[in-house]
Amino acid sequence: MCNLYSNTMPPAAMRQLFAVDAQRDQLGNAEPLPGIFPKGTAPIVALNDNGERALWNTHWGFVLPQVSKKTGQPIQSKAVNNARDDKLRTSPFWKKSFIQRRCLIPATSFCEAKGRNPATYFWFGVRGEGNRPPFAFAGVWRAFSGNYGGEQREMVTSSMVTTTPNELVRDTHPDRMPVILHPEAYEEWLTGRPESAFALLRPFPAEQMVIHQSGEGLKSDKGGL
């Protein structure tokens, strides 16, 4: 499970990498994001109503309404930011988004914590040119309209897809890791049939990844700035 990642790419770099026209970039003058947490701002690449690639800011986590077990009254909604690959095609919470609303989540690294009091934070990335080579997670999105945090909100929410970990990540998180897509798979994930899109959900090769940094208290990847 990933509850923290970074995206320090400027919007112009995202437009170039993901082939998004400037007119469909809604990020504005987005600042680098060295630490993106659940309920935070998460840029995505999605298809608009015309089937064109667009850059949107989203709320990281699908909104899951909750009620108190004691009173039965509504309480603070939960933001579900990881979608398990083994639930995408069966869970009503994810299924429609997987079939109709897949997206790319731009990133420069992601974090997994190991241990407690204190935890050691490991920041993973992909091998390539530059300090933090960019990449994209497989994601899904959906619109939300309703009460959230005590106020009426309308927003786009997103969640990344997770799968079983590779050898590099397994030592830190033995159960899950986010799905990193190869660039040649971007179009298939966005536009392909559900069956072919699902076939892309597998662990990224460990030999093509690297640990950028690790240590206590590293709750943001400022090494990528």
Side-chain angles (χ1 to χ4, degrees):
M1 177 180 291
C2 178
N3 286 317
L4 175 59
Y5 74 102
S6 73
N7 175 10
T8 56
M9 283 182 281
M14 284 186 269
R15 292 196 301 268
Q16 181 177 8
L17 180 63
F18 299 107
V20 176
D21 189 275
Q23 295 182 342
R24 297 189 292 275
D25 177 0
Q26 299 180 10
L27 302 186
N29 296 320
E31 296 291 329
L33 300 170
I36 302 173
F37 293 86
K39 301 183 181 180
T41 299
I44 66 168
V45 178
L47 299 181
N48 62 18
D49 291 340
N50 296 322
E52 302 164 320
R53 292 189 187 188
L55 274 165
W56 300 338
N57 274 322
T58 71
H59 168 281
W60 188 27
F62 279 21
V63 177
L64 177 63
Q66 299 190 102
V67 296
S68 170
K69 294 181 180 179
K70 292 183 178 181
T71 67
Q73 296 299 309
I75 58 175
Q76 174 65 28
S77 299
K78 184 178 181 181
V80 186
N81 55 292
N82 286 177
R84 291 178 62 105
D85 57 352
D86 55 353
K87 303 292 186 183
L88 279 176
R89 297 186 291 183
T90 58
S91 169
F93 192 69
W94 302 116
K95 186 175 180 180
K96 191 171 183 179
S97 292
F98 169 65
I99 293 173
Q100 299 181 357
R101 297 183 295 270
R102 297 188 294 271
C103 64
L104 305 173
I105 302 178
T108 47
S109 62
F110 71 93
C111 183
E112 299 288 0
K114 184 176 183 180
R116 295 183 179 179
N117 301 319
T120 300
Y121 294 85
F122 292 81
W123 285 90
F124 298 90
V126 301
R127 295 186 181 277
E129 298 181 1
N131 185 29
R132 295 289 191 276
F135 58 92
F137 299 119
V140 289
W141 69 272
R142 73 178 182 189
F144 171 80
S145 179
N147 186 282
Y148 185 67
E151 61 178 318
Q152 196 69 16
R153 300 277 301 275
E154 290 189 6
M155 57 189 182
V156 175
T157 64
S158 62
S159 178
M160 65 177 60
V161 181
T162 65
T163 188
T164 54
N166 62 26
E167 296 85 353
L168 183 67
V169 178
R170 186 179 299 127
D171 183 60
T172 305
H173 198 294
D175 182 45
R176 312 297 294 173
M177 70 173 288
V179 174
I180 298 174
L181 294 171
H182 292 277
E184 58 269 24
Y186 292 168
E187 183 66 15
E188 189 66 33
W189 177 252
L190 289 172
T191 66
R193 296 177 61 83
E195 295 80 6
S196 59
F198 188 80
L200 300 173
L201 303 179
R202 52 184 180 267
F204 199 75
E207 64 273 13
Q208 296 179 30
M209 292 182 61
V210 65
I211 297 175
H212 288 306
Q213 60 176 333
S214 63
E216 298 174 7
L218 290 176
K219 294 186 177 182
S220 65
D221 186 18
K222 294 183 178 179
L225 294 175

